[in-house]
Amino acid sequence: MDMQNQIPTPATEEDNYASLSNLLQEFTTIPNIDKAWLFNSHSTTLQGMFSINQPDLVANKTKKLMLSCQIFKESESSVNFLWAPFPIEISGVSLIIPSPSGSKLLLIWNPKDDESPCRFEIWSQSRMEKDFHIPQSLHGSVYNDRWFEGVSWNLDETFVAYVAEEPSLSKPEFRDAGYKKGGGCVPADKNCGTWKGQGDLEEDWGETYAGKRRPALFVINISSGEVQAVKGIDRSLSVGQVVWAPFHDGSEQYLVFVGWSGEKRKVGMKYCSNRPCALYAVRAPHHDSKSNEQEINSTQEWYILNLTRTISSALFPRFSPNGKFLVFLSAKSAVDSGVHNATNSLHRIDWPTDGKLHQSAKMYDILPVVTSAEEGCFPGLYCTTIHNNPWLLDNSTMIISSIWHSSEVLLSVNVLSGEVAHISPADPSFSWNLLTLDGNNIIAICSSPVDVPQIKYGTFTEKSKESIPWSWSDISSPMFRCSDKVRSSLFSLKCSILKIPIKEACQGIAKGASNPFEAIFVSSKSKKNDPLIVILHGGPHDVSLSCFSKSWAFLSSVGYSLLIVNYRGSLGFGEEALQSLPGKVGCQDVNDVLSAIDEVIKLGVASPSKITVMGISHGGFLTTHLIGQAPDKFAAAAAINPVCNLALMVGTTDIPDWCYVEAFGTNSKHSFTQAPSPQHLTLFYNKSPISHLSKVKAPTLFLLGAKDVRVPIYDGLQYARALKEKGVDVKTIMFPNDVHGLQRPQSEFECFLNIAVWFNKYCKLQVKDHT
């Protein structure tokens, strides 16, 4: 046989799995930086700690690591980072919180089961000073979800306030003779003829909070270990984001926190900033509980105070270092309109110098909601949080990470004048995120879809007409070192931001909604017309950012171009563009995605015969809509926890209000409190992908989390089964222990491995051997 003319045997699906899983693992092992802290040790030297996470696929958990460094300031504009030789794993630690002076470190371990205690350890520089075990009769797990989460040291480092699950409510007890009146001191035991009943249903806050008890406020004395629940807070309030207020001699010590009312019905909180909330001030308990009770009884009317009665949302309270200002973020646009995320605003309360609070404290608007911005101008504030210590040395300037179109950027905001400035370099292909501050200097993370994250050090310089006020230098670090294979793959790729014009804009459309939207385009430097994957974010009021994603980078390295579409309704483009989508889902967003696809075909950088599409949640809604509305356009599709049938979802989801707002418009945000009418169910069906199912041709992969309460699995299963009955090639993978985001390491790995193999099968992509 002539070996030179022999046709190579096509790779089997198993070969693809073996080769691609090896490449995916190369990307998966790249760690992420969670947080960073700096501690002064000398005028020219700092100590730094960096919290790192890295997936452990075998254990199916995320490892937490700590890497320390010394930072030498060689000059005003030059620093040198000397890293420790190895990171240290901190196994099982839920939260790490340094004290204000940096002299103490609090480590919190949450209970492993229903019986074990919560552990608090206090460390000094040389040793562990205290180890407290807090039984679940006092409280359950401390919240560490970055939403309700709040752990705060007081200024003299004697107390820590924090948010934890309230103790379990008492449940009815039964015995062989029936109900046992008054319960009993001895724990119920079926073997002794008694057992605990279930009691009343305790509503939770939905997705990822299923089964968790109400977040409540506690204070621990770190000398004695005494824990007190903060009194005076009604059980209808769920508490989060606590901070200590400035303390003045002769005045009361207050805690400020965010409170969400759950008096009627709790609906999903995760990913949803449209839940009404307010800032409250409450007297902090003293270590002498008896004297504290007497004080409370004598001044009950002053015990708890709503600080933000005139606004429907107040989040992330931050006091200026000098104690003069309380600044907070507001999601009032989301609350008032009903969309789950929208443009934020920033506000200030001048804190009384005598420490005496008043109901009528004046609130100042720092940054209002931006409805529509001119090209190149500030598009509005879009934050998922505010750094715990965001202040420059002038006590009035904050550094905030915010979304600006398809990028995350760093902003400086003067809370007195309202002046806002874009201080990170103006390259939209890169995204920036604040890690921590060093006086007037910044440590940040910078990355792009084709560049692994890089630590940057920003130095503040005097502002002048000839120069920009911030200069940025690269900091070499061991954390993001990747393999030669990954480095070579990324070097062969390029990234750009495409402006997509609006087609057939309707008359009367708001100005902001008629501006072009954007798409991130990742492609090979040397080749054109690689198979294309269209990637669609969820939400829909979310955004895909021009930052490094291990999963996207893996798909690019396999040999695909990526078209990552930020259709109208995405965050970062002004409120008018965002609010143009509710009531038009399945139409406006679908047309925007088709316009983006047509644009790259017109530019000659994508082949019309090899287009695939994928998305999660609302991105899955768009994916399944597209393969029904444009059945000849797509070679294959992948839908992750997709919304396929709104008529089914509205009765099973933790966010029924979302179904009404997106399908009917913002005027219907309260309609979810009633059972849907036949007319509503008909419109839900007509707006859903399932109404176009009969036209679908594209082979479709479904990836579903069995514990998803946001888009319960029946939604995707109903669509997948109907598609299979129709004769379309369908594959469904169920992740039994995962929720809506499919973020467990094994789930995420298997998810993107299967997407690559599925798309390769229908795009006939020749896979290199990566084993």
Side-chain angles (χ1 to χ4, degrees):
M1 182 181 292
D2 185 355
M3 298 298 292
Q4 288 185 335
N5 295 324
Q6 184 179 2
I7 299 173
T9 304
T12 65
E13 190 169 291
E14 190 173 4
D15 293 333
N16 272 346
Y17 268 107
S19 179
L20 292 174
S21 65
N22 183 268
L23 178 62
L24 179 54
Q25 203 148 7
E26 298 273 356
F27 284 95
T28 301
T29 54
I30 300 172
N32 300 312
I33 296 180
D34 276 335
K35 296 179 181 178
W37 301 272
L38 297 182
F39 309 97
N40 283 309
S41 58
H42 190 269
S43 59
T44 59
T45 308
L46 294 171
Q47 299 289 332
M49 288 197 325
F50 289 76
S51 174
I52 307 165
N53 70 67
Q54 184 174 16
D56 182 344
L57 287 171
V58 175
N60 199 21
K61 66 179 184 180
T62 300
K63 285 182 179 291
K64 284 192 175 182
L65 311 168
M66 191 68 73
L67 185 63
S68 60
C69 69
Q70 282 187 296
I71 304 171
F72 300 95
K73 294 187 175 182
E74 298 168 346
S75 69
E76 283 298 319
S77 59
S78 178
V79 293
N80 182 35
F81 281 55
L82 182 62
W83 299 95
F86 303 104
I88 299 171
E89 182 178 1
I90 306 178
S91 179
V93 175
S94 302
L95 285 160
I96 304 166
I97 307 97
S99 65
S101 69
S103 63
K104 292 182 174 66
L105 186 69
L106 169 63
L107 303 181
I108 299 176
W109 278 264
N110 275 331
K112 295 179 180 178
D113 51 49
D114 292 339
E115 303 296 327
S116 58
C118 200
R119 286 181 53 206
F120 282 53
E121 288 183 358
I122 309 292
W123 288 77
S124 65
Q125 187 176 25
S126 60
R127 63 191 176 91
M128 183 178 72
E129 292 186 345
K130 302 284 183 178
D131 182 11
F132 303 122
H133 291 231
I134 303 168
Q136 294 202 37
S137 58
L138 286 177
H139 64 68
S141 293
V142 176
Y143 273 80
N144 62 349
D145 61 345
R146 300 193 181 186
W147 189 250
F148 289 115
E149 177 187 321
V151 181
S152 180
W153 291 80
N154 69 340
L155 193 58
D156 63 6
E157 302 183 355
T158 54
F159 292 89
V160 173
Y162 59 96
V163 178
E165 292 182 83
E166 68 176 354
S168 296
L169 298 178
S170 60
K171 294 184 177 181
E173 192 172 322
F174 299 90
R175 57 185 175 182
D176 51 5
Y179 176 66
K180 188 176 180 181
K181 290 179 67 176
C185 297
V186 180
D189 187 344
K190 291 181 181 179
N191 296 326
C192 297
T194 64
W195 73 94
K196 286 283 188 185
Q198 295 304 310
D200 293 348
L201 171 68
E202 278 287 299
E203 293 272 8
D204 55 46
W205 289 105
E207 174 66 22
T208 76
Y209 299 113
K212 290 183 76 70
R213 302 192 293 277
R214 182 183 75 97
L217 190 53
F218 300 86
V219 171
I220 184 170
N221 181 323
I222 68 162
S223 176
S224 66
E226 180 189 6
V227 174
Q228 292 189 54
V230 178
K231 296 181 180 180
I233 303 173
D234 193 274
R235 281 202 78 253
S236 65
L237 278 185
S238 290
V239 172
Q241 305 175 14
V242 63
V243 292
W244 291 86
F247 177 69
H248 303 275
D249 289 337
S251 64
E252 296 295 339
Q253 174 70 81
Y254 286 95
L255 294 166
V256 173
F257 64 89
V258 181
W260 292 265
S261 176
E263 192 170 1
K264 293 183 179 178
R265 174 183 175 179
K266 292 178 182 176
V267 284
M269 182 73 74
K270 184 76 170 179
Y271 314 120
C272 297
S273 63
N274 61 326
R275 307 305 175 208
C277 55
L279 293 188
Y280 294 86
V282 63
R283 282 200 172 107
H286 300 177
H287 67 278
D288 183 350
S289 57
K290 289 183 180 179
S291 63
N292 190 44
E293 285 175 9
Q294 292 172 0
E295 183 182 315
I296 292 166
N297 291 334
S298 63
T299 57
Q300 188 69 44
E301 69 274 14
W302 290 100
Y303 189 56
I304 185 168
L305 193 68
N306 185 334
L307 301 172
T308 56
R309 290 179 179 275
T310 60
I311 196 168
S312 57
S313 169
L315 299 159
F316 306 114
R318 299 292 183 262
F319 282 99
S320 60
N322 60 11
K324 290 184 177 181
F325 313 123
L326 172 60
V327 176
F328 63 92
L329 191 73
S330 177
K332 61 187 177 72
S333 288
V335 173
D336 297 346
S337 67
V339 299
H340 68 96
N341 282 316
T343 314
N344 301 136
S345 53
L346 193 68
H347 306 269
R348 184 187 90 235
I349 294 173
D350 292 346
W351 199 254
T353 55
D354 59 2
K356 295 180 180 179
L357 302 185
H358 305 281
Q359 288 274 15
S360 57
K362 186 174 180 181
M363 188 168 61
Y364 299 88
D365 296 340
I366 302 170
L367 293 179
V369 171
V370 174
T371 55
S372 177
E374 298 298 325
E375 181 68 26
C377 296
F378 175 56
L381 193 62
Y382 301 89
C383 299
T384 54
T385 187
I386 295 178
H387 194 275
N388 286 336
N389 183 20
W391 300 93
L392 297 186
L393 297 179
D394 64 2
N395 278 288
S396 59
T397 302
M398 304 176 77
I399 304 299
I400 297 177
S401 299
S402 182
I403 297 163
W404 188 306
H405 295 181
S406 297
S407 308
E408 188 170 22
V409 302
L410 299 180
L411 304 175
S412 70
V413 180
N414 188 296
V415 301
L416 295 177
S417 67
E419 181 183 1
V420 58
H422 183 316
I423 63 171
S424 49
D427 183 346
S429 297
F430 283 82
S431 281
W432 292 69
N433 187 263
L434 175 65
L435 276 178
T436 191
L437 295 178
D438 168 23
N440 279 336
N441 301 324
I442 299 172
I443 298 179
I445 289 283
C446 169
S447 70
S448 86
V450 298
D451 295 276
V452 294
Q454 170 77 48
I455 298 177
K456 300 278 189 175
Y457 190 86
T459 305
F460 180 76
T461 58
E462 288 300 323
K463 195 172 182 179
S464 68
K465 293 181 180 178
E466 291 77 27
S467 65
I468 57 174
W470 295 86
S471 63
W472 297 92
S473 54
D474 296 341
I475 301 299
S476 176
S477 82
M479 282 170 280
F480 300 117
R481 288 175 186 162
C482 49
S483 68
D484 291 340
K485 191 182 297 184
V486 168
R487 193 178 302 108
S488 173
S489 296
L490 294 176
F491 184 75
S492 68
L493 301 171
K494 62 182 180 179
C495 173
S496 60
I497 307 295
L498 304 179
K499 299 282 188 182
I500 314 296
I502 303 300
K503 288 185 178 179
E504 301 174 4
C506 303
Q507 274 193 337
I509 190 171
K511 178 185 175 184
S514 62
N515 293 331
F517 59 95
E518 290 183 354
I520 304 166
F521 187 63
V522 181
S523 62
S524 168
K525 289 178 180 176
S526 58
K527 294 188 294 181
K528 283 189 175 183
N529 297 329
D530 277 340
L532 181 71
I533 302 177
V534 180
I535 298 178
L536 305 171
H537 65 71
H541 309 297
D542 202 340
V543 66
S544 293
L545 293 172
S546 59
C547 59
F548 186 72
S549 159
K550 291 181 276 190
S551 304
W552 293 356
F554 161 69
L555 294 174
S556 301
S557 298
V558 170
Y560 289 96
S561 295
L562 307 181
L563 182 66
I564 306 159
V565 185
N566 285 321
Y567 45 86
R568 282 175 294 168
S570 301
L571 301 177
F573 295 86
E575 188 68 1
E576 286 181 348
L578 187 145
Q579 294 288 354
S580 70
L581 183 56
K584 301 175 186 174
V585 293
C587 178
Q588 177 177 295
D589 44 5
V590 168
N591 289 334
D592 282 357
V593 177
L594 292 173
S595 294
I597 295 170
D598 291 343
E599 184 72 12
V600 291
I601 292 173
K602 185 177 77 174
L603 292 172
V605 292
S607 168
S609 63
K610 291 185 177 181
I611 299 174
T612 60
V613 60
M614 61 172 284
I616 184 170
S617 190
H618 188 86
F621 172 87
L622 287 177
T623 295
T624 46
H625 252 305
L626 285 159
I627 59 177
Q629 293 193 42
D632 297 315
K633 210 170 191 76
F634 301 97
I640 307 167
N641 288 328
V643 177
C644 297
N645 185 353
L646 288 164
L648 175 60
M649 178 182 168
V650 72
T652 56
T653 180
D654 65 330
I655 52 166
D657 57 317
W658 179 91
C659 299
Y660 278 95
V661 167
E662 298 303 337
F664 291 84
T666 57
N667 290 335
S668 65
K669 65 178 182 176
H670 297 301
S671 300
F672 78 98
T673 58
Q674 303 173 6
S677 67
Q679 293 79 15
H680 285 170
L681 292 173
T682 300
L683 188 141
F684 279 140
Y685 177 85
N686 291 336
K687 292 252 181 178
S688 299
I690 202 165
S691 66
H692 300 281
L693 185 139
S694 62
K695 298 175 282 185
V696 174
K697 301 176 183 177
T700 306
L701 170 66
F702 291 87
L703 301 138
L704 308 175
K707 292 186 176 180
D708 185 355
V709 298
R710 180 59 45 89
V711 186
I713 57 170
Y714 311 109
D715 208 286
L717 283 176
Q718 181 191 55
Y719 186 97
R721 287 165 175 164
L723 211 56
K724 197 170 186 178
E725 290 288 337
K726 182 179 174 292
V728 175
D729 196 0
V730 169
K731 181 175 182 177
T732 303
I733 298 175
M734 185 81 70
F735 299 94
N737 296 310
D738 222 326
V739 292
H740 189 60
L742 293 188
Q743 292 172 341
R744 290 165 69 96
Q746 290 177 3
S747 304
E748 188 173 11
F749 184 89
E750 194 174 350
C751 177
F752 281 91
L753 175 60
N754 276 280
I755 287 171
V757 172
W758 186 256
F759 286 172
N760 286 356
K761 179 179 177 181
Y762 296 100
C763 289
K764 304 294 189 292
L765 188 68
Q766 186 66 42
V767 178
K768 298 176 184 177
D769 186 3
H770 297 287
T771 56

